[in-house]
Each structure stands twice: as structure tokens, then as C-alpha cells.
Amino acid sequence: MKRATVWLALVALLITVTTVGCGPAPTPQVIKETVPVEVTKEVVVETTREVVVTATPVSPTAVPEQTGPATIMLYTSVPEGVVVPLVEKFNAENSSDITVEYYRAGSNSIISKITTELIVGRVQADVIWVADPAYPMSLKKMGLLMPYETPASIPDQFKDPDGYFCAGRVINMGLAYNTNLVSAEEAPKDWEDLLDPKWKGNVGLGSPLFSGTAIDAYQALRDKFGTEGEQSSKYAVYFKKLADNGAVVVSGQEDVIRKIASGDLKVGMAVDFMVRQQIDAGGPIAFVYPESGAVAIASPLAILASTDEPEAAQEFIDFCLSQAGQEFLVQLRVLSVNLDIAPPEGVPTVPEILANAIPIDFENIEKNRDGLLQEFEYGMFMAP
Amino acid sequence: MRLPRREEISVSYLVLGAAILVLVILVAWPMLLLFVNTVIVDSEFTTRLWREVFTRRQNYTALRNTLYIGVLVTLGSTVIGSFFAWLVGRTDLPFKGALKALLMLPFLMPPFIGAIAWETLLSPRSGYFNKAFMSLFHTTTPLLDVFSTWGIVMVESIYFYPFVFITVAGALERMDPTLEEAARTAGAGMLKVMKDVTLPLVSPSIMAGALLAFAASISNFGIPLFLGMEKGFFVLTTRIFIYIKTQSASFEGLQLGATLSVFLLLASGTAIILEGRLLGGRKYAILAGKSMRPHIVELGRWKPVFLALCLVFLFVAVLAPIGSIYLVSLLKVYGQPVRWENLTLNNYYHELFKDSMIRGALRNSLVLSVAAATIVMIVGSVIAYVLVKTRIKGRKVVEFFVMLPYSIPGTVVAIAMLLAWTGKYGPNLYGTLWLILAAYCAHFMALGVKSAAASLEQVHTSLEEAARVSGANWLKTFGDIVAPLIKPGLVAGWLLVFIPAFRELTTSVLLVSTHTMTIGVAIYNRLEDGYFLLATAMSGIILLLVFVGNLVITRVTR
């Protein structure tokens, strides 16, 4: 009895082992498979785009065949406080019976999820909206994006030259402080003020391991203040000094805001609109645009080439970029990419911010994302 | 044991074969794919991933930290768990029923919610405990910084001692009291009985509980993520997470993470071997066929002291973090002082009535956890029977495949499931609840098998032999004799699976899509989004549901 059971188990295991051993190696095949799949998708895209072009001048109700009832999936790192009202507004108001569903997570979780789905076979997202423009640059290179129409009201500086993505909002990384613990006079005015020993152990920043905004800010400030060391012991001077000043690396950008508002931290690097939302909620926090310039990021919207609903995706993006959509974002304290729309009260205009902003080498982030993250980790946690 | 008849053989084979088949499908196959993926890159055999992982100094630091934390947490959990199990199981302490229920509360808390609860209490500046301490003693040094090694050890010990508490309390309940009575009659004092009779009899259970705590600690992700990352303190699970994060644009991150999880396997493999060594040959059949009231130790004048100790522990370690979660969930803005005008019920209103995703997540988690717990206990008790009551040679292999998915982080189990069940080698389950169910069953199988095995170890073979002699076949013996005897253990095991499955985060986080959102991921998304108050409100609702469910189940099955 016992012996036979052993055999049964062994045979079962053996079958498993041999199938795996003889079968094709799973990983590489998929990655190679994606190329031809993309090609076919591109073809599909080409044909559908023609339809879009012909349909554009006509009002949407005149062409019910193209934009009938559809459901599209949005993967986004835009916080729920912004994306939920926006999606609800679109779902309620669009005339083509399109329903947008969304999956909200930090930039890196979105990237991991899409990577997983690429390995699995198909990306479930039709549209993505993340903070860091370097990611759609990667997707564009991999041939996974579909070009789309953008309204003329958005300046070209916010658009990919080949039309594969376009920014839907401008977010700025600057400085924040707790107004109960820090007066406006002693609050930091520029990036280097965070290195003041009076903030020792009280400075916070978001981690590039979670947040796309944080990796853009890392790239910008790393180039501004320079790096030291070689190879695996290279580090960014500014961030090493922050670490020496006892800086606390929390996970997402929202966590920085929470910890400053709660008084656990006194100052930190933070994203402007999140601070404004927290102020609206009654939190004791204030935002400062640094004197030597903020890290200004145009957060991009893109359509995946694998989408089954290109028209619906286009219509959602049209809504986001429209006058009404952008004005709605400004009501939610976000800065618009439509420069004709006035910013929220008491906030500098987007051209003012951009004129002074620290340049960001997105190409390097795109090419060297992993290296940058390792460098950050070394400088923050390991460098002597 | 006499030789079974032929038709019995076929039935028992069928049952065992089915259980093993489930194990192969759920565990062995995905895990094999996982390992194949660590050595085969682009259709070619390579040791590059292994070399990368094994030559990195940070990985060894992470291994050392994992073991350091794991050992300290195991010690902490074992001392706390065994002591309180004895106190509420074997003494004349008043209010034992209520105390026992309260001591089980940390088990119902998701560890990552626990980490956040403790942050509200022991955050260096704004934590309620630290604030009270600093103003009481006029100092700027906090009582304990939760973002430290000791903070992690303390929080993990508080959330993992119930593993020891449950197994030891169960053993004490089922223990044959005549052994203790015999010792007492022979003139042994209370302490001597405890030391020479009670302790050796429950030591297998203590050991089993300690191993569960150790496995929980080394595979835990939420607590070191929330409390360790700020200071750059990494354990293996967070290191694997970093691999997956930092190589996020390619498959290599998943492969490197999977390779590093072999480190974790080494740690838990050692634990399994250690268990075998420590318990080697010492089998205790302490559940006799008769039922008797357990022997109660009279505490006498020490009673108030023990009661006070119990109450202080309950207040500080168990109730304060839960209270803190509820308190924060009522605030309008995080960080505001707790005053009447700052309180609101809006966070609850929003979660319960405004957000349809939350309702869907609740339903999904409920369906998944009930199904997973039921499957795990049915398959698990059959496997446990094989492990405990037979001498089959491949037992250790079976045990290995049971322990494997529990001892590696949920993230890696999720990757294995994605490799196995997304259409390349069979059905594509991506985007369905089946995928998450498969992951839960694989991940929690160890809990089911271990709890069923712990109960089975205490059922003396004489009872089965009696049934066999009277003509019952294997299936009837199992159903009529063994199953009823181990029923309390199975119910406990069912809960042991249901509760962590209900608020599971680490595995689900890679497997959910919008329609298969689970409640753990929903709460985590809230936290990541900075909606701390909504997350605490949701946690409050979950705690209430789990607590009420727990009460109902224990009532019904009593």
C-alpha cells in the first residue's frame, strides 16, 4: 500500500519534471513572441486610425458603429482623489456609453503589473496615465503604444513628437513643511536648506522604488548637484548629504505629506497638488516652490497598442485634455497642461514654473532606470 | 497493524492519490516552473542570475537580518504564546473565556495594519505612546522608535505569538489529565508537575507553534516594509521586492527575486530539518478515548498578580493598537489632536456606501477565503494523515512541497502561479478569482497540514486499530473515528487559514485585477494613496467583521 503510493507520487512528479525539462523554456519565448504580436497590432492600429481620422470631423453621435458601448481599462498612478472624480465625470457625461474602469497604484506597481501582463500574454490596460514620462518612452520603444490625436489647445512641449503620448497634467516636486512646527520664516526656501542640521532626522522624501515622481526628482537633483564615486559605489552628492542629515525615505509621495502633516517630520520634498489637497482637508502643511526651481513633470497619458477599443480610449483622452476636463483637474488642485486655464489660487502659472524648473534627463531614466535606483539605494543607505 | 483488504487499498489510494495530485497541480508544478526560470534565460541554461544573487553583499546582510529577526521573534512569540496559553488553559484565573478571546485578537489583525497601528503609537515624535512618555518624563528621547530593529521584533512578536498560543492552548485542552493527576497523587508539587509532565507533553505543540511563528516571521513582508525601509534595514522579503521593483521594466527582476527566494528556502528548510531533529522519535499520544476535565492549577495569592499582568499586556499590546486604529479612523485630518470637533464618521460612510470597489473586494475576499480554507483543510488533513500515520517513504518530499509555498514570500508564490496558470501550459486563469484561489491554497496548505498533523499526532493508533478490527474500512475509519476526534483541531485549522486568507495582501497584490480586487489590496492601495484615514476605517470594518465571524464560527462548531 505505502510503496504503491510512493510510486504514484513519484510518477506524478516525474511527469511534471519531464514536461518542464523537455518543454520550451517559458520566459524567452514570450519576450520574443511579443515582437510579431506588436507588428500585427500596429497593422490593426493603422487601419483603425484611418477610421478615426475620417470620423473626427463628424459629431460622435453620427457614427454609432465606431464608438458604441465600450469598457476601457485605465492603469494609473494618479491619486484616487483626482482620478476617481475625473473618471466618474467622464462615465456620467460621455455620449457614447463608454465606461472607464481603473486600476490605481504607485508608478512602480503599475510598471510591475504591465511587465507581468506582458509576460503572461496580454496587457489588460487600454490607457495608462503615470507620473514619469520615461516609462511611456520605454513602452514606445518596445512598440507597445498607439499614436493618437491631441487637441491643439495643448502646447507641443507636452506632446511626444511622434504622437505616442501627451501630458495630461503638470506636477511639481518642491518643499513642504508642517505649519504647526515650522514658521514661514524658518521654513526651507531652496533644496539646499533641507541639508541644514536644524532639520536633522526631520526631513522626508518619497522613494524612487515606489514613485515615478521621485525617480524624476532624483535624476534632476542628481544632475544639479553632481555625483561622486565610481561604478557600484557611485552616489548623488545631494542625496548622500540628505542621508547624513538623517533624512527618512518613506514609500510613496502621499506618505511624505501624511508624515509632515502629522508632525512626524517637519520638512520634506513633496508634490504640490497633494499638499494643496491636504491643506483643503485642514492639514497643517504648506508648500514652497524652491527658489532655484522646482522639479516640474508633465505626467503623460498613453494608449496601449493592444487595446480592443481604440476609439473609446481616444475619446477618454480627448475628455481628459479638453477644456472642461482640464478645468475640472484645476478644481482638484492639479495644474493644467492647457496654458489658457488659470492655475488654482495663489499658485504660480505653469510657464512661470517651467521657466525656472530644473531640467530632467528623461533619456537617462529610460535607459538606466535600474542603475539609478541602485545608485539611490547605495547613496541613501550604504555609502560610508 | 494488520494488512488491509484489497478494496480498502483501492479507496485509500484513490483518496491519497487525489490529495497528492492537488498538491502537484497547486504547488509542485508552479514551483518547478519558478526554478526553471531562474536557470534558463532566453532558452539557454545560465548561472548568471545565481551568480548575481549570491555575490551581492546586501543579500547576505538581508539573510542575516532575516534570521536575526526570525530567531528573536520566535523566542518572543513562544514565550508570550506558551505562557498565556497555560494561564488561560490551565489555571483558575478569572474571566478566562474573555481573556482568551482578547488574546486571540492580534491574530485577526493583518500584520501590515498592525505595523501602521504601532506607527500611530510608537512613531518617534507623533506616536501616542511616545508623546505620553516624553511629556511624562520631560524628555525628547522616545520610549521606543518603531522604525528600528527592536520595533520590528516587537511588532512581529505581538502579531505572531497567536500561532504558539493556538497550538499550545489546543494541546492543553486535549491533553489527558490523568497523567498530571497521577503525578499529583504520587506527591509531586504544582511546579514539578508542570515541569516534568505538562511541559514535556505539550512540547511538540510549542515547537510546532514556534516553527509557525518563525516561518511567519521570515516570510513576512508588510512589517519590515513599513518599519524597516526608512532606515535602509532590509530582510530577504523586502530585498526580493527591491529586485522586482528595480528591474521593473524586464522579466529579470522577477527571475532575480525568485532566485533570491532560494535563500529563504534555505532558512525554512533548516527549520523543517531542525523540527525533525528536535522531535525525533518523541511521539506523544496524549489524546485518549475518554474525555475529562483538564487539571486546574490554583494560583492562590498570585492570582491578582497574574491577572494584572494579563490585563496590562492586553491593554498595551493588543487593545491599544486596535483602539488607536479606530481613534484615527474617526479623525477628520490625520495628525489632528483627538477632540470632539475633529471627529467624524465620514471615513466609514465613504468606504461603506460611496465606493463600489470596496464592496466587490469584500465579496471577493469572503468567497476566496472560505473556499481556500475548506479546500486546504480537506486536502490538508488527508496529507497530514499520510505524514503522521504512515511510514511511506516519500513523506518528506510531500512535506517539503507543503512547506515550500508557505516559507517563501507571497510575492514569489504569485509569480509561480502567474507562470503556471496563465495559458502557456494550461488554462489561462489570469483576471479570474481561480488564480488567486490557487495561490491561496498553495500558500496556506502548510497551515492546514500542520494543524491537522498536530491533532493527528495526539490520536492514538489504538482507536483506529479498534475500528479496523471491528471491520471498518480505511475511509470509514477516517470518517467515523479520526475526523471527529480531530474536529476541534480541524476547525481551528480552518480559522487559521480563513483569517489570513481573508485579509491577504502579499500574494494578491500581483494577481488582482479590477474585478478580482481583494480587501487586503484595497486597503494597501488606500495607504499607498495616502488615504490613511480611509485605510484605518476600512481596517476597523474588517476587524469587526473578522471578530464577529470568529465568534459565530466558534459558537456554531462548539
Side-chain angles (χ1 to χ4, degrees):
Chain A
M1 161 186 171
K2 289 153 196 168
R3 185 151 297 174
T5 322
V6 182
W7 282 116
L8 197 84
L10 279 182
V11 167
L13 280 173
L14 205 68
I15 294 167
T16 325
V17 176
T18 42
T19 0
V20 177
C22 306
T27 339
Q29 274 228 336
V30 181
I31 283 168
K32 279 177 184 165
E33 270 169 11
T34 49
V35 183
V37 171
E38 285 150 23
V39 174
T40 48
K41 292 290 181 197
E42 293 263 326
V43 175
V44 175
V45 168
E46 289 302 319
T47 49
T48 43
R49 263 180 55 75
E50 277 171 40
V51 177
V52 171
V53 172
T54 48
T56 314
V58 195
S59 77
T61 41
V63 279
E65 298 88 30
Q66 272 88 34
T67 48
T71 302
I72 56 169
M73 175 60 77
L74 168 71
Y75 281 7
T76 183
S77 66
V78 178
E80 276 191 37
V82 174
V83 81
V84 173
L86 191 76
V87 163
E88 278 173 359
K89 187 176 161 72
F90 175 76
N91 286 347
E93 291 175 10
N94 81 82
S95 52
S96 316
D97 205 7
I98 298 167
T99 309
V100 174
E101 294 177 338
Y102 65 89
Y103 177 80
R104 217 271 15 149
S107 278
N108 271 319
S109 301
I110 298 287
I111 297 178
S112 295
K113 189 159 183 64
I114 291 178
T115 307
T116 309
E117 291 182 347
L118 283 173
I119 295 159
V120 165
R122 186 186 181 283
V123 180
Q124 292 195 325
D126 299 291
V127 178
I128 59 163
W129 192 359
V130 290
D132 167 24
Y135 185 56
M137 281 163 69
S138 297
L139 291 177
K140 179 187 162 187
K141 272 192 189 165
M142 291 155 81
L144 296 171
L145 295 185
M146 177 190 125
Y148 62 86
E149 302 290 316
T150 47
S153 54
I154 312 292
D156 285 346
Q157 67 190 107
F158 295 126
K159 296 172 183 171
D160 172 56
D162 304 315
Y164 282 93
F165 53 90
C166 174
R169 57 174 183 152
V170 176
I171 52 183
N172 300 288
M173 181 75 102
L175 308 165
Y177 62 94
N178 181 303
T179 51
N180 288 344
L181 305 173
V182 180
S183 69
E185 294 80 56
E186 59 172 344
K189 307 285 185 297
D190 207 347
W191 297 106
E192 277 161 307
D193 295 344
L194 292 183
L195 307 177
D196 193 318
K198 71 179 168 183
W199 307 127
K200 193 160 180 74
N202 282 305
V203 190
L205 67 154
S207 169
L209 299 171
F210 291 85
S211 150
T213 319
I215 195 167
D216 290 350
Y218 180 73
Q219 176 71 48
L221 293 168
R222 162 191 193 270
D223 290 350
K224 184 178 165 71
F225 294 96
T227 55
E228 273 174 23
E230 289 300 321
Q231 301 284 324
S232 65
S233 40
K234 190 174 179 177
Y235 59 85
V237 175
Y238 181 72
F239 287 85
K240 171 74 168 63
K241 283 183 180 165
L242 272 178
D244 292 342
N245 204 20
V248 169
V249 184
V250 303
S251 54
Q253 295 303 335
E254 298 83 353
D255 234 21
V256 184
I257 311 276
R258 177 168 75 79
K259 293 215 167 179
I260 294 176
S262 75
D264 244 323
L265 298 169
K266 288 179 182 166
V267 294
M269 286 186 204
V271 175
D272 56 351
F273 78 91
M274 291 181 191
V275 174
R276 290 194 281 270
Q277 288 190 328
Q278 182 74 19
I279 294 169
D280 287 350
I285 190 169
F287 187 80
V288 176
Y289 286 92
E291 281 164 2
S292 67
V295 177
I297 302 159
S299 148
L301 277 154
I303 302 178
L304 274 297
S306 51
T307 180
D308 292 329
E309 303 285 354
E311 294 90 352
Q314 170 83 56
E315 195 167 332
F316 175 64
I317 288 189
D318 284 345
F319 166 77
C320 293
L321 299 178
S322 69
Q323 182 88 15
Q326 289 290 308
E327 276 170 356
F328 188 66
L329 283 181
V330 173
Q331 281 174 29
L332 298 171
R333 303 296 180 203
V334 181
L335 291 181
S336 171
V337 284
N338 183 338
L339 301 182
D340 299 334
I341 299 174
E345 222 183 293
V347 178
T349 66
V350 170
E352 277 167 10
I353 293 169
L354 290 179
N356 196 23
I358 306 172
I360 311 169
D361 184 356
F362 291 114
E363 287 288 339
N364 188 48
I365 300 173
E366 199 276 308
K367 277 197 289 258
N368 193 26
R369 185 182 292 269
D370 305 344
L372 280 175
L373 293 176
Q374 282 176 23
E375 186 188 290
F376 172 83
E377 209 194 317
Y378 179 78
M380 239 29 237
F381 303 129
M382 281 177 280
Chain B
M1 212 203 291
R2 78 198 174 87
L3 281 171
R5 289 191 302 268
R6 185 156 299 169
E7 64 270 28
E8 293 176 17
I9 298 175
S10 58
V11 175
S12 60
Y13 283 164
L14 216 64
V15 176
L16 292 181
I20 286 164
L21 191 71
V22 171
L23 207 58
V24 168
I25 292 173
L26 283 179
V27 182
W29 167 240
M31 288 299 151
L32 273 163
L33 284 179
L34 187 76
F35 287 107
V36 166
N37 271 287
T38 68
V39 289
I40 295 179
V41 178
D42 295 331
S43 305
E44 273 168 29
F45 180 81
T46 174
T47 55
R48 187 173 54 80
L49 296 171
W50 285 77
R51 273 184 281 126
E52 148 74 25
V53 164
F54 279 86
T55 52
R56 269 246 194 153
R57 209 182 51 223
Q58 293 103 296
N59 291 344
Y60 288 95
T61 312
L63 176 65
R64 206 183 54 228
N65 289 345
T66 304
L67 292 176
Y68 182 67
I69 296 269
V71 167
L72 289 177
V73 168
T74 308
L75 282 176
S77 308
T78 308
V79 170
I80 301 172
S82 315
F83 174 71
F84 285 116
W86 173 77
L87 210 55
V88 301
R90 278 308 172 91
T91 67
D92 59 349
L93 201 71
F95 320 115
K96 276 189 295 189
L99 290 176
K100 194 176 172 188
L102 289 171
L103 282 164
M104 280 298 296
L105 278 181
F107 182 64
L108 309 182
M109 289 271 277
F112 74 98
I113 293 289
I116 286 141
W118 280 97
E119 189 189 325
T120 65
L121 292 172
L122 284 178
S123 173
R125 260 170 298 272
S126 72
Y128 292 129
F129 278 175
N130 277 334
K131 267 200 222 165
F133 176 82
M134 287 189 285
S135 66
L136 209 64
F137 294 96
H138 306 288
T139 166
T140 50
T141 322
L143 178 66
L144 174 68
D145 179 0
V146 79
F147 302 106
S148 66
T149 315
W150 286 105
I152 296 174
V153 169
M154 190 205 73
V155 174
E156 285 197 3
S157 298
I158 284 169
Y159 293 103
F160 298 146
Y161 83 76
F163 286 112
V164 184
F165 182 80
I166 293 168
T167 46
V168 175
L172 284 170
E173 262 170 31
R174 293 187 303 269
M175 205 171 87
D176 184 356
T178 52
L179 295 167
E180 285 172 330
E181 263 155 39
R184 299 271 284 184
T185 318
M190 186 189 92
L191 283 174
K192 195 166 169 56
V193 173
M194 266 171 61
K195 185 169 77 66
D196 290 347
V197 181
T198 320
L199 196 63
L201 281 173
V202 294
S203 67
S205 304
I206 294 179
M207 213 68 83
L211 274 166
L212 284 175
F214 182 74
S217 168
I218 64 173
S219 65
N220 184 262
F221 167 70
I223 293 173
L225 177 76
F226 283 105
L227 303 182
M229 296 271 274
E230 288 192 3
K231 300 272 162 67
F233 180 89
F234 288 98
V235 295
L236 285 175
T237 51
T238 45
R239 196 77 235 162
I240 290 167
F241 179 70
I242 293 300
Y243 264 129
I244 294 172
K245 286 279 168 188
T246 55
Q247 316 263 339
S248 44
S250 68
F251 187 53
E252 188 159 298
L254 302 189
Q255 288 174 315
L256 284 169
T259 313
L260 184 55
S261 67
V262 172
F263 267 55
L264 269 184
L265 279 187
L266 292 180
S268 57
T270 318
I272 294 173
I273 293 166
L274 225 64
E275 187 199 23
R277 283 280 155 77
L278 287 171
L279 302 180
R282 294 195 297 156
K283 292 281 173 202
Y284 302 94
I286 47 177
L287 182 68
K290 298 169 282 184
S291 129
M292 272 189 186
R293 294 222 150 267
H295 174 73
I296 297 294
V297 174
E298 279 165 25
L299 292 171
R301 62 200 165 94
W302 289 99
K303 206 189 273 188
V305 180
F306 278 111
L307 186 63
L309 192 71
C310 224
L311 291 178
V312 168
F313 176 83
L314 276 174
F315 176 75
V316 173
V318 179
L319 297 178
I322 295 173
S324 186
I325 284 268
Y326 279 104
L327 200 64
V328 171
S329 73
L330 291 172
L331 284 175
K332 282 181 186 154
V333 177
Y334 184 72
Q336 275 180 333
V338 181
R339 276 197 222 107
W340 188 247
E341 65 268 23
N342 290 342
L343 300 183
T344 174
L345 280 171
N346 269 348
N347 299 319
Y348 286 93
Y349 175 76
H350 183 278
E351 292 300 81
L352 284 175
F353 303 109
K354 297 261 298 208
D355 199 321
S356 60
M357 190 184 269
I358 293 289
R359 282 197 299 276
L362 264 173
R363 197 184 52 235
N364 289 339
S365 283
L366 204 62
V367 169
L368 283 168
S369 50
V370 168
T374 310
I375 295 170
V376 160
M377 285 325 290
I378 292 170
V379 178
S381 52
V382 175
I383 293 171
Y385 188 87
V386 178
L387 294 180
V388 173
K389 294 287 174 186
T390 69
R391 293 284 170 272
I392 293 177
K393 272 194 188 124
R395 277 180 306 151
K396 286 290 156 193
V397 180
V398 175
E399 185 171 6
F400 178 74
F401 277 110
V402 166
M403 287 309 285
L404 190 63
Y406 189 65
S407 46
I408 58 179
T411 325
V412 181
V413 175
I415 299 165
M417 292 299 150
L418 283 172
L419 288 168
W421 303 117
T422 47
K424 276 206 282 298
Y425 309 99
N428 187 350
L429 304 179
Y430 191 76
T432 68
L433 287 177
W434 294 106
L435 184 67
I436 305 175
L437 181 62
Y440 283 7
C441 287
H443 194 40
F444 294 116
M445 191 59 80
L447 288 178
V449 171
K450 284 277 154 184
S451 59
S455 310
L456 276 168
E457 261 165 19
Q458 297 177 341
V459 178
H460 202 281
T461 335
S462 62
L463 298 169
E464 288 168 74
E465 275 163 9
R468 298 294 202 92
V469 169
S470 320
N473 64 23
W474 183 85
L475 202 60
K476 196 167 168 56
T477 310
F478 190 86
D480 287 359
I481 306 292
V482 182
L485 277 176
I486 61 170
K487 199 184 114 194
L490 292 187
V491 171
W494 194 91
L495 274 172
L496 212 59
V497 177
F498 169 77
I499 289 164
F502 183 62
R503 35 69 159 173
E504 209 281 337
L505 163 71
T506 329
T507 314
S508 332
V509 83
L510 275 183
L511 303 176
V512 297
S513 48
T514 10
H515 299 294
T516 57
M517 185 61 74
T518 68
I519 204 68
V521 182
I523 293 178
Y524 177 74
N525 285 350
R526 285 268 182 268
L527 287 172
E528 224 195 48
D529 282 3
Y531 296 108
F532 192 72
L533 300 176
L534 293 181
T536 52
M538 202 59 235
S539 308
I541 297 168
I542 300 304
L543 287 181
L544 197 68
L545 280 179
V546 170
F547 188 54
V548 170
N550 188 31
L551 271 181
V552 169
I553 289 165
T554 39
R555 275 287 144 72
V556 167
T557 51
R558 186 163 288 159

